[in-house]
mmCIF file of all heavy atoms in Angstrom:
data_model
loop_
_atom_site.group_PDB
_atom_site.id
_atom_site.type_symbol
_atom_site.label_atom_id
_atom_site.label_comp_id
_atom_site.label_asym_id
_atom_site.label_seq_id
_atom_site.Cartn_x
_atom_site.Cartn_y
_atom_site.Cartn_z
ATOM 1 N N TYR A 19 -14.995 -9.096 -9.660
ATOM 2 C CA TYR A 19 -16.152 -8.685 -8.857
ATOM 3 C C TYR A 19 -17.450 -8.935 -9.623
ATOM 4 O O TYR A 19 -18.427 -9.464 -9.076
ATOM 5 C CB TYR A 19 -16.034 -7.207 -8.488
ATOM 6 C CG TYR A 19 -17.228 -6.682 -7.735
ATOM 7 C CD1 TYR A 19 -17.408 -7.002 -6.393
ATOM 8 C CD2 TYR A 19 -18.184 -5.896 -8.366
ATOM 9 C CE1 TYR A 19 -18.513 -6.546 -5.708
ATOM 10 C CE2 TYR A 19 -19.291 -5.439 -7.690
ATOM 11 C CZ TYR A 19 -19.449 -5.762 -6.354
ATOM 12 O OH TYR A 19 -20.553 -5.308 -5.676
ATOM 13 N N VAL A 20 -17.476 -8.561 -10.901
ATOM 14 C CA VAL A 20 -18.681 -8.766 -11.704
ATOM 15 C C VAL A 20 -19.006 -10.255 -11.802
ATOM 16 O O VAL A 20 -20.154 -10.680 -11.613
ATOM 17 C CB VAL A 20 -18.502 -8.151 -13.109
ATOM 18 C CG1 VAL A 20 -19.669 -8.529 -14.005
ATOM 19 C CG2 VAL A 20 -18.385 -6.632 -13.008
ATOM 20 N N LEU A 21 -17.991 -11.070 -12.104
ATOM 21 C CA LEU A 21 -18.213 -12.510 -12.230
ATOM 22 C C LEU A 21 -18.608 -13.126 -10.893
ATOM 23 O O LEU A 21 -19.499 -13.985 -10.823
ATOM 24 C CB LEU A 21 -16.951 -13.187 -12.763
ATOM 25 C CG LEU A 21 -16.545 -12.829 -14.192
ATOM 26 C CD1 LEU A 21 -15.220 -13.490 -14.545
ATOM 27 C CD2 LEU A 21 -17.632 -13.239 -15.186
ATOM 28 N N GLY A 22 -17.973 -12.689 -9.823
ATOM 29 C CA GLY A 22 -18.263 -13.254 -8.503
ATOM 30 C C GLY A 22 -19.666 -12.941 -8.026
ATOM 31 O O GLY A 22 -20.384 -13.825 -7.533
ATOM 32 N N THR A 23 -20.072 -11.691 -8.161
ATOM 33 C CA THR A 23 -21.431 -11.337 -7.737
ATOM 34 C C THR A 23 -22.469 -12.000 -8.633
ATOM 35 O O THR A 23 -23.537 -12.409 -8.163
ATOM 36 C CB THR A 23 -21.622 -9.810 -7.758
ATOM 37 O OG1 THR A 23 -21.241 -9.294 -9.050
ATOM 38 C CG2 THR A 23 -20.789 -9.140 -6.678
ATOM 39 N N GLY A 24 -22.158 -12.137 -9.932
ATOM 40 C CA GLY A 24 -23.079 -12.835 -10.819
ATOM 41 C C GLY A 24 -23.237 -14.289 -10.432
ATOM 42 O O GLY A 24 -24.346 -14.843 -10.434
ATOM 43 N N ALA A 25 -22.120 -14.932 -10.071
ATOM 44 C CA ALA A 25 -22.181 -16.339 -9.647
ATOM 45 C C ALA A 25 -23.005 -16.482 -8.371
ATOM 46 O O ALA A 25 -23.776 -17.443 -8.222
ATOM 47 C CB ALA A 25 -20.765 -16.870 -9.435
ATOM 48 N N LEU A 26 -22.853 -15.539 -7.449
ATOM 49 C CA LEU A 26 -23.642 -15.601 -6.213
ATOM 50 C C LEU A 26 -25.131 -15.428 -6.499
ATOM 51 O O LEU A 26 -25.983 -16.101 -5.890
ATOM 52 C CB LEU A 26 -23.159 -14.522 -5.240
ATOM 53 C CG LEU A 26 -21.805 -14.772 -4.573
ATOM 54 C CD1 LEU A 26 -21.392 -13.568 -3.745
ATOM 55 C CD2 LEU A 26 -21.852 -16.025 -3.696
ATOM 56 N N ALA A 27 -25.458 -14.523 -7.434
ATOM 57 C CA ALA A 27 -26.868 -14.325 -7.777
ATOM 58 C C ALA A 27 -27.460 -15.578 -8.409
ATOM 59 O O ALA A 27 -28.585 -15.991 -8.089
ATOM 60 C CB ALA A 27 -27.011 -13.126 -8.718
ATOM 61 N N LEU A 28 -26.710 -16.229 -9.297
ATOM 62 C CA LEU A 28 -27.187 -17.470 -9.915
ATOM 63 C C LEU A 28 -27.309 -18.590 -8.887
ATOM 64 O O LEU A 28 -28.255 -19.392 -8.930
ATOM 65 C CB LEU A 28 -26.224 -17.896 -11.030
ATOM 66 C CG LEU A 28 -26.241 -17.033 -12.295
ATOM 67 C CD1 LEU A 28 -25.149 -17.482 -13.249
ATOM 68 C CD2 LEU A 28 -27.605 -17.106 -12.976
ATOM 69 N N ALA A 29 -26.376 -18.637 -7.941
ATOM 70 C CA ALA A 29 -26.442 -19.658 -6.903
ATOM 71 C C ALA A 29 -27.674 -19.466 -6.035
ATOM 72 O O ALA A 29 -28.351 -20.440 -5.662
ATOM 73 C CB ALA A 29 -25.174 -19.608 -6.051
ATOM 74 N N ALA A 30 -27.981 -18.200 -5.723
ATOM 75 C CA ALA A 30 -29.170 -17.934 -4.914
ATOM 76 C C ALA A 30 -30.435 -18.360 -5.657
ATOM 77 O O ALA A 30 -31.367 -18.924 -5.063
ATOM 78 C CB ALA A 30 -29.237 -16.447 -4.564
ATOM 79 N N TRP A 31 -30.475 -18.114 -6.953
ATOM 80 C CA TRP A 31 -31.650 -18.514 -7.742
ATOM 81 C C TRP A 31 -31.749 -20.033 -7.826
ATOM 82 O O TRP A 31 -32.828 -20.613 -7.790
ATOM 83 C CB TRP A 31 -31.550 -17.902 -9.136
ATOM 84 C CG TRP A 31 -32.735 -18.246 -10.004
ATOM 85 C CD1 TRP A 31 -34.037 -17.884 -9.796
ATOM 86 C CD2 TRP A 31 -32.711 -19.016 -11.206
ATOM 87 N NE1 TRP A 31 -34.839 -18.377 -10.796
ATOM 88 C CE2 TRP A 31 -34.043 -19.075 -11.680
ATOM 89 C CE3 TRP A 31 -31.709 -19.649 -11.933
ATOM 90 C CZ2 TRP A 31 -34.393 -19.750 -12.844
ATOM 91 C CZ3 TRP A 31 -32.057 -20.308 -13.095
ATOM 92 C CH2 TRP A 31 -33.382 -20.363 -13.534
#
Side-chain angles (χ1 to χ4, degrees):
Y19 176 75
V20 172
L21 294 176
T23 53
L26 287 175
L28 289 174
W31 181 64

